mmCIF file of all heavy atoms in Angstrom:
data_model
loop_
_atom_site.group_PDB
_atom_site.id
_atom_site.type_symbol
_atom_site.label_atom_id
_atom_site.label_comp_id
_atom_site.label_asym_id
_atom_site.label_seq_id
_atom_site.Cartn_x
_atom_site.Cartn_y
_atom_site.Cartn_z
ATOM 1 N N ALA U 29 156.325 97.696 118.364
ATOM 2 C CA ALA U 29 157.345 97.193 119.294
ATOM 3 C C ALA U 29 157.432 95.667 119.204
ATOM 4 O O ALA U 29 158.521 95.073 119.309
ATOM 5 C CB ALA U 29 157.014 97.630 120.717
ATOM 6 N N GLY U 30 156.273 95.026 118.993
ATOM 7 C CA GLY U 30 156.268 93.577 118.819
ATOM 8 C C GLY U 30 156.998 93.163 117.567
ATOM 9 O O GLY U 30 157.695 92.132 117.537
ATOM 10 N N LEU U 31 156.879 93.977 116.484
ATOM 11 C CA LEU U 31 157.620 93.672 115.256
ATOM 12 C C LEU U 31 159.119 93.772 115.471
ATOM 13 O O LEU U 31 159.897 92.965 114.934
ATOM 14 C CB LEU U 31 157.167 94.632 114.144
ATOM 15 C CG LEU U 31 155.790 94.367 113.526
ATOM 16 C CD1 LEU U 31 155.449 95.462 112.518
ATOM 17 C CD2 LEU U 31 155.759 92.996 112.847
ATOM 18 N N VAL U 32 159.494 94.770 116.259
ATOM 19 C CA VAL U 32 160.920 94.916 116.555
ATOM 20 C C VAL U 32 161.433 93.680 117.287
ATOM 21 O O VAL U 32 162.522 93.152 116.987
ATOM 22 C CB VAL U 32 161.172 96.195 117.393
ATOM 23 C CG1 VAL U 32 162.623 96.256 117.870
ATOM 24 C CG2 VAL U 32 160.837 97.431 116.577
ATOM 25 N N LEU U 33 160.647 93.208 118.263
ATOM 26 C CA LEU U 33 161.031 91.992 118.978
ATOM 27 C C LEU U 33 161.113 90.794 118.031
ATOM 28 O O LEU U 33 161.990 89.916 118.186
ATOM 29 C CB LEU U 33 160.038 91.709 120.102
ATOM 30 C CG LEU U 33 159.979 92.723 121.246
ATOM 31 C CD1 LEU U 33 158.883 92.344 122.231
ATOM 32 C CD2 LEU U 33 161.330 92.804 121.965
ATOM 33 N N THR U 34 160.206 90.762 117.054
ATOM 34 C CA THR U 34 160.213 89.658 116.090
ATOM 35 C C THR U 34 161.469 89.687 115.236
ATOM 36 O O THR U 34 162.134 88.655 115.017
ATOM 37 C CB THR U 34 158.959 89.730 115.200
ATOM 38 O OG1 THR U 34 157.792 89.623 116.020
ATOM 39 C CG2 THR U 34 158.955 88.608 114.173
ATOM 40 N N PHE U 35 161.830 90.870 114.721
ATOM 41 C CA PHE U 35 163.000 91.000 113.858
ATOM 42 C C PHE U 35 164.304 90.725 114.609
ATOM 43 O O PHE U 35 165.291 90.292 114.018
ATOM 44 C CB PHE U 35 163.046 92.387 113.226
ATOM 45 C CG PHE U 35 161.941 92.626 112.234
ATOM 46 C CD1 PHE U 35 161.322 93.857 112.140
ATOM 47 C CD2 PHE U 35 161.525 91.589 111.384
ATOM 48 C CE1 PHE U 35 160.314 94.064 111.219
ATOM 49 C CE2 PHE U 35 160.521 91.809 110.460
ATOM 50 C CZ PHE U 35 159.898 93.044 110.380
ATOM 51 N N THR U 36 164.292 90.996 115.901
ATOM 52 C CA THR U 36 165.499 90.716 116.689
ATOM 53 C C THR U 36 165.539 89.287 117.180
ATOM 54 O O THR U 36 166.502 88.878 117.842
ATOM 55 C CB THR U 36 165.576 91.666 117.894
ATOM 56 O OG1 THR U 36 164.408 91.513 118.706
ATOM 57 C CG2 THR U 36 165.705 93.106 117.435
ATOM 58 N N GLY U 37 164.480 88.530 116.904
ATOM 59 C CA GLY U 37 164.446 87.138 117.280
ATOM 60 C C GLY U 37 163.990 86.861 118.693
ATOM 61 O O GLY U 37 164.002 85.701 119.138
ATOM 62 N N LEU U 38 163.591 87.904 119.426
ATOM 63 C CA LEU U 38 163.187 87.716 120.810
ATOM 64 C C LEU U 38 161.781 87.133 120.942
ATOM 65 O O LEU U 38 161.438 86.561 121.975
ATOM 66 C CB LEU U 38 163.274 89.049 121.573
ATOM 67 C CG LEU U 38 164.686 89.659 121.687
ATOM 68 C CD1 LEU U 38 164.624 91.012 122.393
ATOM 69 C CD2 LEU U 38 165.605 88.699 122.450
ATOM 70 N N ALA U 39 160.945 87.327 119.927
ATOM 71 C CA ALA U 39 159.568 86.835 120.008
ATOM 72 C C ALA U 39 159.481 85.342 119.726
ATOM 73 O O ALA U 39 158.529 84.674 120.160
ATOM 74 C CB ALA U 39 158.682 87.609 119.038
ATOM 75 N N GLY U 40 160.473 84.814 118.995
ATOM 76 C CA GLY U 40 160.489 83.386 118.706
ATOM 77 C C GLY U 40 159.360 82.969 117.776
ATOM 78 O O GLY U 40 158.846 83.760 116.969
ATOM 79 N N ALA U 41 158.952 81.744 117.929
ATOM 80 C CA ALA U 41 157.914 81.197 117.042
ATOM 81 C C ALA U 41 156.533 81.751 117.352
ATOM 82 O O ALA U 41 155.598 81.604 116.550
ATOM 83 C CB ALA U 41 157.906 79.668 117.163
ATOM 84 N N TYR U 42 156.410 82.394 118.486
ATOM 85 C CA TYR U 42 155.086 82.912 118.876
ATOM 86 C C TYR U 42 154.928 84.393 118.543
ATOM 87 O O TYR U 42 154.158 85.101 119.160
ATOM 88 C CB TYR U 42 154.886 82.695 120.384
ATOM 89 C CG TYR U 42 154.899 81.245 120.779
ATOM 90 C CD1 TYR U 42 156.049 80.692 121.341
ATOM 91 C CD2 TYR U 42 153.791 80.443 120.565
ATOM 92 C CE1 TYR U 42 156.086 79.355 121.701
ATOM 93 C CE2 TYR U 42 153.826 79.112 120.932
ATOM 94 C CZ TYR U 42 154.962 78.565 121.495
ATOM 95 O OH TYR U 42 154.997 77.234 121.850
ATOM 96 N N TRP U 43 155.689 84.858 117.553
ATOM 97 C CA TRP U 43 155.662 86.288 117.246
ATOM 98 C C TRP U 43 154.265 86.813 116.904
ATOM 99 O O TRP U 43 153.936 87.945 117.271
ATOM 100 C CB TRP U 43 156.657 86.605 116.114
ATOM 101 C CG TRP U 43 156.345 85.953 114.807
ATOM 102 C CD1 TRP U 43 156.796 84.762 114.340
ATOM 103 C CD2 TRP U 43 155.496 86.477 113.769
ATOM 104 N NE1 TRP U 43 156.312 84.467 113.115
ATOM 105 C CE2 TRP U 43 155.498 85.533 112.724
ATOM 106 C CE3 TRP U 43 154.746 87.634 113.614
ATOM 107 C CZ2 TRP U 43 154.772 85.709 111.552
ATOM 108 C CZ3 TRP U 43 154.040 87.827 112.440
ATOM 109 C CH2 TRP U 43 154.044 86.864 111.415
ATOM 110 N N PRO U 44 153.360 86.059 116.221
ATOM 111 C CA PRO U 44 152.010 86.624 115.980
ATOM 112 C C PRO U 44 151.251 86.893 117.277
ATOM 113 O O PRO U 44 150.550 87.888 117.420
ATOM 114 C CB PRO U 44 151.310 85.570 115.137
ATOM 115 C CG PRO U 44 152.414 84.778 114.524
ATOM 116 C CD PRO U 44 153.487 84.747 115.566
ATOM 117 N N VAL U 45 151.439 85.974 118.237
ATOM 118 C CA VAL U 45 150.763 86.147 119.522
ATOM 119 C C VAL U 45 151.339 87.347 120.267
ATOM 120 O O VAL U 45 150.605 88.119 120.903
ATOM 121 C CB VAL U 45 150.899 84.869 120.377
ATOM 122 C CG1 VAL U 45 150.253 85.070 121.745
ATOM 123 C CG2 VAL U 45 150.291 83.678 119.656
ATOM 124 N N VAL U 46 152.665 87.527 120.167
ATOM 125 C CA VAL U 46 153.315 88.655 120.847
ATOM 126 C C VAL U 46 152.821 89.979 120.268
ATOM 127 O O VAL U 46 152.469 90.913 121.002
ATOM 128 C CB VAL U 46 154.851 88.543 120.720
ATOM 129 C CG1 VAL U 46 155.524 89.816 121.237
ATOM 130 C CG2 VAL U 46 155.352 87.320 121.478
ATOM 131 N N ILE U 47 152.786 90.060 118.934
ATOM 132 C CA ILE U 47 152.347 91.303 118.291
ATOM 133 C C ILE U 47 150.885 91.600 118.636
ATOM 134 O O ILE U 47 150.521 92.725 119.005
ATOM 135 C CB ILE U 47 152.532 91.218 116.766
ATOM 136 C CG1 ILE U 47 154.031 91.140 116.427
ATOM 137 C CG2 ILE U 47 151.889 92.421 116.086
ATOM 138 C CD1 ILE U 47 154.310 90.952 114.948
ATOM 139 N N ALA U 48 150.036 90.562 118.541
ATOM 140 C CA ALA U 48 148.617 90.762 118.851
ATOM 141 C C ALA U 48 148.426 91.130 120.315
ATOM 142 O O ALA U 48 147.608 91.998 120.661
ATOM 143 C CB ALA U 48 147.825 89.503 118.503
ATOM 144 N N GLY U 49 149.197 90.477 121.178
ATOM 145 C CA GLY U 49 149.068 90.774 122.606
ATOM 146 C C GLY U 49 149.506 92.191 122.934
ATOM 147 O O GLY U 49 148.853 92.877 123.733
ATOM 148 N N LEU U 50 150.615 92.632 122.337
ATOM 149 C CA LEU U 50 151.081 94.000 122.587
ATOM 150 C C LEU U 50 150.105 95.031 122.009
ATOM 151 O O LEU U 50 149.872 96.084 122.614
ATOM 152 C CB LEU U 50 152.477 94.191 121.974
ATOM 153 C CG LEU U 50 153.617 93.471 122.706
ATOM 154 C CD1 LEU U 50 154.925 93.624 121.938
ATOM 155 C CD2 LEU U 50 153.772 94.049 124.125
ATOM 156 N N TYR U 51 149.543 94.703 120.847
ATOM 157 C CA TYR U 51 148.548 95.623 120.280
ATOM 158 C C TYR U 51 147.348 95.746 121.217
ATOM 159 O O TYR U 51 146.863 96.837 121.512
ATOM 160 C CB TYR U 51 148.086 95.149 118.904
ATOM 161 C CG TYR U 51 146.965 96.015 118.337
ATOM 162 C CD1 TYR U 51 147.240 97.145 117.598
ATOM 163 C CD2 TYR U 51 145.620 95.700 118.587
ATOM 164 C CE1 TYR U 51 146.227 97.948 117.096
ATOM 165 C CE2 TYR U 51 144.600 96.495 118.099
ATOM 166 C CZ TYR U 51 144.911 97.619 117.350
ATOM 167 O OH TYR U 51 143.909 98.413 116.884
ATOM 168 N N GLY U 52 146.861 94.578 121.698
ATOM 169 C CA GLY U 52 145.703 94.594 122.598
ATOM 170 C C GLY U 52 145.994 95.322 123.895
ATOM 171 O O GLY U 52 145.151 96.071 124.404
ATOM 172 N N ALA U 53 147.218 95.123 124.424
ATOM 173 C CA ALA U 53 147.573 95.807 125.665
ATOM 174 C C ALA U 53 147.646 97.320 125.453
ATOM 175 O O ALA U 53 147.175 98.100 126.285
ATOM 176 C CB ALA U 53 148.906 95.275 126.183
ATOM 177 N N GLY U 54 148.220 97.727 124.334
ATOM 178 C CA GLY U 54 148.302 99.174 124.059
ATOM 179 C C GLY U 54 146.934 99.799 123.884
ATOM 180 O O GLY U 54 146.663 100.894 124.391
ATOM 181 N N ALA U 55 146.058 99.092 123.168
ATOM 182 C CA ALA U 55 144.695 99.606 122.977
ATOM 183 C C ALA U 55 143.925 99.644 124.279
ATOM 184 O O ALA U 55 143.086 100.533 124.495
ATOM 185 C CB ALA U 55 143.961 98.758 121.940
ATOM 186 N N LEU U 56 144.211 98.698 125.174
ATOM 187 C CA LEU U 56 143.464 98.614 126.428
ATOM 188 C C LEU U 56 143.829 99.747 127.380
ATOM 189 O O LEU U 56 142.962 100.313 128.044
ATOM 190 C CB LEU U 56 143.740 97.269 127.095
ATOM 191 C CG LEU U 56 142.964 96.975 128.389
ATOM 192 C CD1 LEU U 56 141.476 96.924 128.108
ATOM 193 C CD2 LEU U 56 143.439 95.672 129.005
ATOM 194 N N ILE U 57 145.103 100.097 127.450
ATOM 195 C CA ILE U 57 145.535 101.119 128.417
ATOM 196 C C ILE U 57 145.405 102.534 127.880
ATOM 197 O O ILE U 57 145.515 103.506 128.637
ATOM 198 C CB ILE U 57 146.990 100.881 128.857
ATOM 199 C CG1 ILE U 57 147.943 101.052 127.663
ATOM 200 C CG2 ILE U 57 147.160 99.518 129.484
ATOM 201 C CD1 ILE U 57 149.407 100.953 128.041
ATOM 202 N N ALA U 58 145.161 102.674 126.582
ATOM 203 C CA ALA U 58 145.038 104.026 126.011
ATOM 204 C C ALA U 58 143.758 104.688 126.517
ATOM 205 O O ALA U 58 142.717 104.038 126.631
ATOM 206 C CB ALA U 58 145.015 103.954 124.492
ATOM 207 N N PRO U 59 143.819 105.987 126.832
ATOM 208 C CA PRO U 59 142.602 106.689 127.270
ATOM 209 C C PRO U 59 141.602 106.774 126.127
ATOM 210 O O PRO U 59 141.985 106.879 124.960
ATOM 211 C CB PRO U 59 143.112 108.085 127.669
ATOM 212 C CG PRO U 59 144.367 108.265 126.881
ATOM 213 C CD PRO U 59 144.983 106.902 126.780
ATOM 214 N N PRO U 60 140.307 106.721 126.435
ATOM 215 C CA PRO U 60 139.300 106.778 125.362
ATOM 216 C C PRO U 60 139.218 108.167 124.750
ATOM 217 O O PRO U 60 139.570 109.172 125.374
ATOM 218 C CB PRO U 60 137.997 106.428 126.102
ATOM 219 C CG PRO U 60 138.248 106.885 127.505
ATOM 220 C CD PRO U 60 139.701 106.627 127.767
ATOM 221 N N ASP U 61 138.784 108.203 123.502
ATOM 222 C CA ASP U 61 138.531 109.487 122.852
ATOM 223 C C ASP U 61 137.280 110.107 123.450
ATOM 224 O O ASP U 61 136.250 109.443 123.590
ATOM 225 C CB ASP U 61 138.345 109.295 121.343
ATOM 226 C CG ASP U 61 139.642 108.897 120.663
ATOM 227 O OD1 ASP U 61 140.688 109.463 121.032
ATOM 228 O OD2 ASP U 61 139.605 108.015 119.786
ATOM 229 N N LEU U 62 137.358 111.373 123.802
ATOM 230 C CA LEU U 62 136.222 112.076 124.394
ATOM 231 C C LEU U 62 135.535 112.939 123.348
ATOM 232 O O LEU U 62 136.199 113.595 122.536
ATOM 233 C CB LEU U 62 136.697 112.959 125.557
ATOM 234 C CG LEU U 62 137.389 112.221 126.710
ATOM 235 C CD1 LEU U 62 137.860 113.224 127.758
ATOM 236 C CD2 LEU U 62 136.440 111.208 127.330
ATOM 237 N N PRO U 63 134.192 112.947 123.332
ATOM 238 C CA PRO U 63 133.490 113.824 122.380
ATOM 239 C C PRO U 63 133.732 115.276 122.735
ATOM 240 O O PRO U 63 133.871 115.633 123.909
ATOM 241 C CB PRO U 63 132.013 113.439 122.572
ATOM 242 C CG PRO U 63 131.949 112.899 123.960
ATOM 243 C CD PRO U 63 133.260 112.206 124.207
ATOM 244 N N PRO U 64 133.814 116.153 121.740
ATOM 245 C CA PRO U 64 134.049 117.568 122.027
ATOM 246 C C PRO U 64 132.870 118.193 122.760
ATOM 247 O O PRO U 64 131.707 117.843 122.520
ATOM 248 C CB PRO U 64 134.224 118.194 120.635
ATOM 249 C CG PRO U 64 133.487 117.264 119.714
ATOM 250 C CD PRO U 64 133.667 115.887 120.300
#
Side-chain angles (χ1 to χ4, degrees):
L31 286 176
V32 172
L33 295 176
T34 299
F35 292 142
T36 58
L38 297 177
Y42 298 101
W43 63 268
V45 177
V46 171
I47 294 176
L50 288 175
Y51 175 88
L56 184 63
I57 65 175
D61 291 319
L62 300 177

